[in-house]
Amino acid sequence: MTENSQAQPAANPELPTQYAPAEVEGKLYERWVERGYFEADEKSGKPPYTIVIPPPNVTGSLHLGHAFEHTIIDALTRRKRMQGYETLWQPGMDHAGIATQNVVERELAKEGKSRHDLGREAFVERVWQWKEESGGQISGQMRRLGDGVAWSRERFTMDEGLSAAVQTIFKRLFDDGLIYRAERIINWCPRCLTAISDIEVEYQDDDGELVSIKYGDGDETLVVATTRAETMLGDTAVAVHPDDERYAHLVGRRIKLPLTDRTIPVVADTHVDPEFGTGAVKVTPAHDPNDFEIGRRHDLPNVTVMDERAVITTPGPFQGLDRYEARSAIVAALRAEGRIVAEKRPYVHSVGHCSRCKTTVEPRLSLQWWVKVETLAKAAGDAVRDGRVTIHPKEMESRYFAWIDNLNDWNISRQLWWGHRIPVWHGPNGETVCVGPNEEPPTGEGWHQDTDVLDTWFSSGLWPFSTLGWPEQTPSLEKFYPNSVLVTGYDILFFWVARMMMFGLYAMDGTPPFHTIALHGMVRDQFGKKMSKSFGNAVNPLDWMDKYGSDAVRFTLARGANPGVDVPIGEDWVQGSRNFANKIWNATRFAMMNGATVEGPLPDASRMSATDRWILSRLNETVAQVDALYEDYQFAKLSDALFHFAWDEVFDWYVELSKTTFFAGGEQADVSGRVLGEVLDVTLRLLHPIVPFVTETLWTTLTGKESVVVADWPADSGFRDQAAEREIEHLQQVVTEVRRFRADQGLQSGQKVPGRLDLSATPLAAHEAAIRQVLRLQAAGEDFHATATLPVAGARVELDLSGTIDVPAERKRLTKDRDAAEKEKQQALAKLGNEAFLAKAPDNVVDKIRGRLSKAEADIERITAQLAALPES
């Protein structure tokens, strides 16, 4: 209820005096689900609107990033549903190969067992058991947030249908020569014991050591530097640049590799930068991706010196040591031989870590399965270039092209047991057979299935069409593919988005998986810092939902959602959004108690007051503005527009200005009651996609209809009244200036004072009662004594402040403030009059001083007027 309102009739029994989110949210959501509002019918004649959920990991729980992304998607789909689209928000979860296997392995470790104790089949069964019992808690949390997903269509990347899709596309790619098996350098996690993709590697600056080592002797000496001394055991060459005259005499010769009985050649390769370091580099083809390519160009052998746990396997004194123990031991041995030329500790350099377990990743030569991406990536780039797919915001296009145009072949095999097993059988004589979902694998002695599983991104790359029944040509696929828009974070633009683009175009005959890619930023704390448990600033959104309600969390996230930009969020902002929800509740409740109604058509404009016409004009302008911002994915701006329209224009201005009309009763009150009902109806529908719970409760009570979820989205009727808008803007100027003066005098907002209004020089005569209401002006009695006269926007306002303020104290305070402003003015003038200062100071500093001068002069003028308006003491 708006502040300081007069006495009202008894409250509407259907609306409690206070809004309690915890008492209504869960019940409302279950009602929506039971009534099937979120389900999608492929047989309907409505135009389709499809969004897939970025599938959360089955091991995951709802974090603020999920809540942010889901709020955006839910708002989009709720609006489209209200607009008459057959809307599908496709839910589901990802099996999350490495993460899930790690969780179950940790559970086994508590029992003193490993997966090898169970064997592959029993371990996979154990993972499925864990998934059924403990996985997927995020589904319940999504309900708490209000996600309007089609639960009956929920999918899992390891379910039967999606597994068939994975096997189908693998075979098609294999048969087309786009999947192959080869030895390459991959990212290897010695803890997870599997290859991991580039996106699963997190780089950070670590303290290491840089040692410079002398190879060879006498005239055959070269110095190389390395941060991984242990890999020297696998060196098979030293490389120099072909044009480096310092080493021209050594190219083609062999030199002694320290600590071994081997000699290695000196090769010339353009990859070497002669200006960096000594201009000579050690070449370890089995343990470095660049060295592997040098090795291929010069036909060098690949010598592997570490096993899958990063333990040294080379026979000799270092065998059995892990990589860090070996590093120290090898440097010590080289130092003892006088071969360490220089050592730098600490040496800060970028090091890759497994995103799951944080172990330092080891580049390792391994036999893996690969997707040949050249033609697939070109198609994915062309789809954006020719406009079939739009990236929003547009400035993200360059990042997409930088990645997709330089994509390397994709390592798709993982040395795990949990996941889609590669559908290839190997025969006793080296035969390889790829098996489709409806084909029988070869049998007989010596035949066995490949032991690797597929990268999780392989199956999630099929998500926009595998969830709709592909490879079967289902009615759902026909209706809902391609997706209308993909909403996801810019951080996985290169990985998940690129995979979906390549697979969608390949599998669906050149039709991209979505029309628009709408990218958002990352959620950060209120200081802009990344949220992390290690930083102590991570937030469980459920805690905020419990405390403030889901609407408050959603509205806070939406107000920060600028396309492609990170989102700062703090608890005080959520509290502010809770206050907004309460404001909506209280103001709507007050309006309904005072005659707001949706019954019957709107009265003719000729019967409306200027205030009525003004709010309807502003309402339609807001509808148009919000629609345009939705189409541009400008959630922060549209949320802000709705906030200010609802709070400022509807509740703080229109409701306040209409109070005198409502309290007077009669025909004009009936007209304004219908206008207010219309405004509330439309405003609640506009707000619903972002704050669904409070708006559902209020809208159904106001209208008596079934649910705002399936109500029509508001349309701009075209009604505009510029004259009424100018008139109310004029009124707002008068009220705002007088309110400012009252505040300056220390009057409380609800404190009533005697006053006279002269509106004869303005078009506001009809608004005198409303102006008096909002300014808390009492009628001027016989003893009225004007102690302050304010000429404001053509109006003249006289106030009798005698007895309401301590005049001497107020005069003393204002005089002190004016003296401070005068001092600030003189200091600014002194600096701006100093030629030496102006000559040396940067432009921004000079501009700042000019700004201080302008503010000081304005303060002096304002305070002088306030002093003049004070009554004589």
Side-chain angles (χ1 to χ4, degrees):
M1 188 180 300
T2 48
E3 191 177 13
N4 299 301
S5 59
Q6 299 179 15
Q8 299 93 25
N12 186 316
E14 294 187 73
L15 282 179
T17 55
Q18 292 184 329
Y19 176 52
E23 296 178 12
V24 301
E25 290 179 349
K27 296 176 183 176
L28 282 183
Y29 188 83
E30 290 309 313
R31 185 187 307 161
W32 293 335
V33 172
E34 288 169 6
R35 292 179 176 178
Y37 291 155
F38 305 141
E39 296 302 324
D41 181 5
E42 61 267 13
K43 298 178 182 178
S44 83
K46 299 177 182 178
Y49 186 81
T50 315
I51 295 181
V52 294
I53 193 172
N57 288 351
V58 67
T59 59
S61 61
L62 194 73
H63 56 65
L64 270 178
H66 288 126
F68 172 57
E69 187 168 76
H70 290 199
T71 295
I72 293 174
I73 299 175
D74 197 42
L76 288 171
T77 52
R78 284 178 183 269
R79 173 174 174 262
K80 285 295 182 181
R81 189 178 294 113
M82 294 171 75
Q83 286 182 315
Y85 286 79
E86 193 61 44
T87 302
L88 169 60
W89 181 8
Q90 173 67 55
M93 287 183 291
D94 191 277
H95 65 279
I98 295 176
T100 306
Q101 180 156 320
N102 281 346
V103 167
V104 178
E105 286 196 85
R106 284 195 294 269
E107 293 295 315
L108 284 174
K110 295 176 184 177
E111 303 171 15
K113 298 178 182 178
S114 74
R115 60 181 164 124
H116 299 285
D117 294 322
L118 271 66
R120 183 169 193 146
E121 186 175 338
F123 176 77
V124 171
E125 181 60 33
R126 180 70 176 262
V127 180
W128 275 109
Q129 180 183 342
W130 175 89
K131 187 262 182 187
E132 295 304 319
E133 294 176 356
S134 306
Q137 62 174 305
I138 202 168
S139 295
Q141 296 165 338
M142 287 166 60
R143 293 171 181 264
R144 284 287 313 277
L145 188 64
D147 287 1
V149 300
W151 287 113
S152 68
R153 293 172 175 264
E154 187 174 13
R155 304 305 298 268
F156 179 54
T157 50
M158 286 281 286
D159 69 28
E160 184 177 350
L162 270 65
S163 295
V166 168
Q167 196 172 351
T168 298
I169 201 163
F170 186 100
K171 180 166 176 57
R172 289 189 187 179
L173 290 163
F174 183 90
D175 290 346
D176 286 346
L178 296 176
I179 284 182
Y180 64 95
R181 197 181 190 208
E183 278 196 323
R184 297 283 188 277
I185 295 290
I186 45 86
N187 305 302
W188 182 266
C189 176
R191 160 61 184 81
C192 298
L193 300 181
T194 182
I196 59 176
S197 64
D198 292 339
I199 64 166
E200 293 164 319
V201 179
E202 294 178 347
Y203 288 90
Q204 65 184 47
D205 288 339
D206 286 357
D207 288 343
E209 61 180 355
L210 181 70
V211 293
S212 298
I213 308 169
K214 182 173 66 176
Y215 282 29
D217 296 295
D219 292 340
E220 297 180 346
T221 297
L222 286 167
V223 175
V224 300
T226 182
T227 58
R228 300 163 67 218
E230 67 278 9
T231 63
M232 68 161 292
L233 300 176
D235 287 356
T236 55
V238 173
V240 298
H241 195 276
D243 299 331
D244 194 335
E245 295 181 358
R246 294 172 295 175
Y247 306 120
H249 66 291
L250 291 177
V251 174
R253 299 173 67 176
R254 301 183 71 86
I255 60 174
K256 179 75 164 54
L257 178 65
L259 306 183
T260 73
D261 57 2
R262 292 192 291 122
T263 62
I264 56 176
V266 177
V267 299
D269 196 280
T270 54
H271 172 76
V272 180
D273 180 1
E275 304 298 324
F276 183 77
T278 64
V281 297
K282 60 191 286 300
V283 181
T284 320
H287 294 277
D288 182 274
N290 293 322
D291 293 2
F292 177 77
E293 295 302 325
I294 293 175
R296 291 216 296 183
R297 288 192 289 271
H298 297 277
D299 199 25
L300 300 174
N302 300 315
V303 177
T304 299
V305 300
M306 279 181 271
D307 66 12
E308 68 274 9
R309 298 184 184 275
V311 172
I312 300 298
T313 57
T314 304
F318 310 111
Q319 188 174 16
L321 300 179
D322 75 26
R323 52 184 165 171
Y324 301 118
E325 294 171 334
R327 184 176 300 171
S328 298
I330 287 171
V331 170
L334 290 168
R335 191 183 298 113
E337 289 190 6
R339 291 193 172 274
I340 298 295
V341 176
E343 298 179 67
K344 185 176 181 180
R345 296 188 185 87
Y347 177 72
V348 179
H349 62 133
S350 182
V351 177
H353 297 261
C354 174
S355 63
R356 300 298 179 190
C357 67
K358 310 309 176 186
T359 302
T360 300
V361 170
E362 192 66 39
R364 185 169 187 259
L365 185 65
S366 181
L367 183 63
Q368 301 281 343
W369 289 94
W370 304 81
V371 172
K372 191 180 297 183
V373 301
E374 182 179 3
T375 58
L376 301 174
K378 182 180 183 304
D382 290 345
V384 175
R385 288 189 170 93
D386 63 26
R388 283 175 289 158
V389 177
T390 300
I391 293 179
H392 188 89
K394 189 173 178 59
E395 53 266 28
M396 288 286 180
E397 277 188 5
S398 59
R399 297 178 65 174
Y400 175 79
F401 291 135
W403 176 263
I404 206 75
D405 292 346
N406 298 282
L407 201 58
N408 295 320
D409 284 0
W410 174 17
N411 169 214
I412 56 171
S413 47
R414 299 291 178 267
Q415 289 64 56
L416 303 170
W417 287 356
W418 173 245
H420 295 101
R421 194 165 176 181
I422 288 177
V424 170
W425 270 254
H426 302 286
N429 299 311
E431 303 97 329
T432 298
V433 175
C434 182
V435 178
N438 298 314
E439 299 173 354
E440 291 295 326
T443 57
E445 186 177 351
W447 282 95
H448 65 279
Q449 187 176 359
D450 198 283
T451 57
D452 289 351
V453 300
L454 287 162
D455 177 12
T456 297
W457 296 102
F458 192 95
S459 53
S460 60
L462 312 179
W463 193 247
F465 51 94
S466 63
T467 52
L468 298 173
W470 187 91
E472 301 299 323
Q473 295 304 305
T474 65
S476 288
L477 188 65
E478 182 178 353
K479 177 78 172 182
F480 296 113
Y481 187 91
N483 293 184
S484 305
V485 61
L486 173 76
V487 178
T488 191
Y490 65 70
D491 56 319
I492 56 174
L493 170 65
F494 316 129
F495 313 113
W496 185 46
V497 179
R499 278 25 171 182
M500 286 190 290
M501 286 287 283
M502 291 191 295
F503 279 169
L505 289 159
Y506 173 78
M508 301 300 292
D509 299 322
T511 302
F514 19 73
H515 298 302
T516 301
I517 301 169
L519 298 169
H520 59 73
M522 312 297 291
V523 177
R524 297 180 178 272
D525 70 13
Q526 58 188 316
F527 306 108
K529 190 175 182 180
K530 181 181 178 181
M531 284 192 172
S532 166
K533 290 182 181 178
S534 60
F535 295 155
N537 63 351
V539 173
N540 182 347
L542 295 178
D543 293 340
W544 282 353
M545 289 183 213
D546 290 340
K547 194 171 182 180
Y548 303 110
S550 297
D551 284 332
V553 174
R554 290 170 63 114
F555 194 72
T556 303
L557 291 165
R559 283 194 85 179
N562 289 298
V565 179
D566 289 346
V567 183
I569 185 172
E571 185 170 0
D572 55 337
W573 303 342
V574 184
Q575 185 174 353
S577 294
R578 187 270 314 273
N579 295 343
F580 179 51
N582 288 342
K583 181 79 169 183
I584 299 170
W585 181 273
N586 292 335
T588 303
R589 182 172 175 271
F590 166 81
M592 292 177 63
M593 293 188 316
N594 286 274
T597 179
V598 295
E599 295 297 324
L602 272 175
D604 188 79
S606 62
R607 297 175 57 201
M608 297 180 189
S609 67
T611 310
D612 295 334
R613 298 194 305 276
W614 162 74
I615 197 62
L616 288 176
S617 184
R618 292 297 306 129
L619 176 68
N620 280 287
E621 181 61 36
T622 301
V623 170
Q625 182 184 9
V626 168
D627 273 334
L629 291 170
Y630 260 114
E631 295 305 316
D632 200 33
Y633 303 97
Q634 296 281 357
F635 281 88
K637 291 181 179 178
L638 74 87
S639 299
D640 213 46
L642 286 169
F643 174 87
H644 288 294
F645 175 71
W647 191 307
D648 299 343
E649 297 187 280
V650 178
F651 303 143
D652 278 358
W653 282 108
Y654 182 71
V655 171
E656 283 291 326
L657 291 173
S658 300
K659 279 181 179 178
T660 53
T661 301
F662 291 136
F663 298 148
E667 181 182 353
Q668 191 56 53
D670 292 340
V671 171
S672 293
R674 180 64 187 90
V675 170
L676 180 53
E678 182 75 9
V679 171
L680 289 175
D681 171 16
V682 173
T683 301
L684 291 171
R685 282 186 281 150
L686 287 173
L687 284 165
H688 173 72
I690 299 175
V691 285
F693 294 106
V694 67
T695 52
E696 171 79 340
T697 306
L698 293 173
W699 189 85
T700 52
T701 305
L702 172 70
T703 65
K705 296 181 180 179
E706 178 184 350
S707 173
V708 70
V709 177
V710 290
D712 291 338
W713 180 252
D716 176 5
S717 71
F719 178 84
R720 300 290 191 279
D721 192 324
Q722 299 300 323
E725 290 199 36
R726 288 192 298 270
E727 187 171 323
I728 300 305
E729 285 171 8
H730 195 160
L731 181 153
Q732 290 171 327
Q733 282 183 294
V734 173
V735 171
T736 301
E737 287 301 316
V738 177
R739 279 177 169 170
R740 183 179 294 120
F741 176 78
R742 286 172 54 103
D744 289 339
Q745 302 308 312
L747 297 178
Q748 297 300 313
S749 59
Q751 188 173 354
K752 295 180 179 181
V753 297
R756 287 194 186 122
L757 283 176
D758 181 0
L759 303 172
S760 58
T762 74
L764 304 178
H767 300 282
E768 180 169 351
I771 293 174
R772 283 187 173 277
Q773 163 67 27
V774 298
L775 287 177
R776 309 296 186 256
L777 295 184
Q778 294 174 322
E782 293 182 0
D783 58 347
F784 179 82
H785 176 63
T787 60
T789 301
L790 305 173
V792 182
R796 181 182 176 86
V797 183
E798 296 178 345
L799 303 175
D800 183 354
L801 303 179
S802 56
T804 61
I805 60 173
D806 183 340
V807 175
E810 186 64 14
R811 189 178 297 281
K812 182 177 180 181
R813 183 185 71 82
L814 290 171
T815 301
K816 182 179 179 181
D817 289 347
R818 186 174 63 179
D819 291 344
E822 186 63 46
K823 182 178 179 180
E824 176 75 6
K825 174 183 174 181
Q826 295 306 320
Q827 289 176 342
L829 285 172
K831 286 189 176 182
L832 294 173
N834 185 333
E835 295 296 334
F837 169 78
L838 294 176
K840 295 180 181 178
D843 289 345
N844 65 316
V845 173
V846 175
D847 289 342
K848 187 175 180 180
I849 299 299
R850 290 188 178 124
R852 286 167 52 188
L853 175 61
S854 296
K855 182 179 184 303
E857 290 175 336
D859 287 345
I860 293 168
E861 182 179 356
R862 175 179 55 81
I863 297 169
T864 300
Q866 290 175 227
L867 283 167
L870 283 175
E872 294 297 328
S873 56

